[in-house]
Amino acid sequence: MKKNKLLIKFLFFCIIIFFDNISAQNKLFKYDLEYKSNPQKDSITLKKMVLDSENGKNSVFRTEHDRTSDSLIAITGLGLGRGMTLEDQLYVTKNFTENVTYKSIQTVYRDIYSIKIAERLDWELLPEKSRIANFNVQKAKVNYGGRNWTAWFTSEISIQEGPYIFCGLPGLIIKISDDQNDYNFSLTEIKNGSSKVYYRNKGSELTWEQFKKLSENYYSDPFARMKSMGVPVKKDDGTGNAVSVNMKEETDKLKRIIRENNNPIELNHKVEYK
């Protein structure tokens, strides 16, 4: 995976005021995520991610697509569509008052499930220091999800936050990646957040074992619910016309996509599809 160059876009004349008051305001942190959906291939996927921090007490980390969809649902009741796979979802909420973190999963049918992250982050602070963009940073390591992670954080931003489930260091995480270079999060922008942050609801809470069962059932027949409801499955023929599909071909195609893009962050909870 190529090295990321941070593109910090905010104006530096407001840095001092921003840092002094960051814990008392809603802030928005943008991250680029470069990851390998298939570790056996060299191809890298880029996702634009957003961390909304509510007064340093609650936060939600998600794609820009999900953030827009959440706002639309709250305002109009209608959101954006989502993909057909479950393993590549990176929607996380943190409640620092109750010290609880949830990973959220939404199916193509808009069913929402939450998995409580009980795995503890036992950070190891290292003496190594460096400079990334205009920040003085320090190195730290942690094991999470069966992966070894290296983070660079700055105490110049007094918020113990970071991308995905990562938090708890004495400052903001600027960069974090696993030792296989499958996942690489890099901060790109900091700005004032919205006065109102819209979340998706919690939905039904699942254990990891229940999520595995959900994933296996979905993989065995991705279109089962559509078929049971009598909903016709159609696709664009390339000219703007909706045409019926061969269900076996579409099922086999989706199952192949799921198998070939099965590289979740939580390797210790990876579902082995056959």
Side-chain angles (χ1 to χ4, degrees):
M1 185 177 291
K2 67 180 182 181
K3 294 183 179 179
N4 292 292
K5 294 183 179 180
L6 297 179
L7 304 175
I8 306 300
K9 301 175 182 177
F10 59 90
L11 299 176
F12 292 103
F13 70 84
C14 64
I15 288 179
I16 296 177
I17 297 175
F18 179 87
F19 291 166
D20 286 343
N21 297 281
I22 192 168
S23 62
Q25 303 176 38
N26 289 351
K27 293 296 174 184
L28 185 149
F29 304 91
K30 292 189 176 184
Y31 288 86
D32 274 357
L33 167 61
E34 291 183 317
Y35 74 101
K36 296 179 182 178
S37 59
N38 186 334
Q40 305 305 317
K41 297 181 179 180
D42 294 330
S43 59
I44 294 172
T45 300
L46 172 65
K47 281 190 176 183
K48 296 293 185 177
M49 311 298 300
V50 181
L51 173 66
D52 279 288
S53 176
E54 288 190 292
N55 303 319
K57 297 179 180 179
N58 302 283
S59 70
V60 55
F61 182 78
R62 55 201 160 172
T63 63
E64 290 184 344
H65 177 276
D66 282 338
R67 186 175 190 267
T68 300
S69 184
D70 288 346
S71 296
L72 288 173
I73 291 172
I75 296 170
T76 70
L78 299 173
L80 304 176
R82 66 148 296 97
M84 299 290 287
T85 56
L86 303 178
E87 280 70 26
D88 60 348
Q89 297 191 38
L90 301 168
Y91 193 115
V92 168
T93 60
K94 305 186 190 98
N95 183 318
F96 294 104
T97 302
E98 298 180 5
N99 192 29
V100 63
T101 298
Y102 283 99
K103 177 185 177 79
S104 180
I105 303 292
Q106 185 177 47
T107 72
V108 69
Y109 305 106
R110 295 193 179 278
D111 298 324
I112 298 175
Y113 302 95
S114 292
I115 303 171
K116 187 176 181 179
I117 304 299
E119 187 173 344
R120 183 175 176 179
L121 296 177
D122 291 320
W123 290 102
E124 178 187 2
L125 270 63
L126 302 174
E128 186 176 348
K129 296 184 179 180
S130 186
R131 192 166 178 83
I132 297 178
N134 287 283
F135 296 112
N136 293 310
V137 295
Q138 184 175 346
K139 192 175 184 179
K141 289 189 175 183
V142 72
N143 181 275
Y144 171 74
R147 297 179 185 272
N148 297 312
W149 298 85
T150 297
W152 292 92
F153 70 95
T154 179
S155 56
E156 295 171 357
I157 303 179
S158 57
I159 179 171
Q160 298 184 13
E161 261 282 27
Y164 198 54
I165 60 93
F166 300 107
C167 61
L169 285 169
L172 180 71
I173 295 173
I174 304 297
K175 181 179 176 67
I176 184 167
S177 58
D178 71 296
D179 60 0
Q180 300 300 312
N181 277 326
D182 285 349
Y183 285 83
N184 193 321
F185 297 91
S186 298
L187 182 72
T188 60
E189 186 177 356
I190 303 175
K191 60 192 295 187
N192 289 329
S194 305
S195 59
K196 176 65 176 177
V197 179
Y198 297 104
Y199 300 73
R200 70 171 57 151
N201 62 59
K202 181 181 176 183
S204 301
E205 187 170 339
L206 299 180
T207 64
W208 280 110
E209 189 60 33
Q210 291 170 327
F211 173 69
K212 177 182 178 183
K213 186 64 175 177
L214 175 74
S215 302
E216 290 173 338
N217 288 341
Y218 176 67
Y219 173 78
S220 66
D221 191 352
F223 301 104
R225 186 181 297 188
M226 288 184 181
K227 289 186 289 188
S228 68
M229 297 170 60
V231 177
V233 179
K234 296 180 179 294
K235 67 178 181 180
D236 193 314
D237 66 355
T239 62
N241 298 313
V243 296
S244 297
V245 301
N246 182 307
M247 291 302 297
K248 184 180 186 308
E249 289 182 358
E250 291 301 311
T251 297
D252 290 344
K253 178 181 177 181
L254 181 53
K255 291 174 76 170
R256 184 176 67 253
I257 290 172
I258 292 173
R259 288 195 307 271
E260 294 179 354
N261 295 276
N262 185 21
N263 188 28
I265 284 185
E266 289 86 3
L267 276 179
N268 54 340
H269 296 297
K270 181 178 181 179
V271 180
E272 298 294 344
Y273 299 107
K274 298 179 181 179

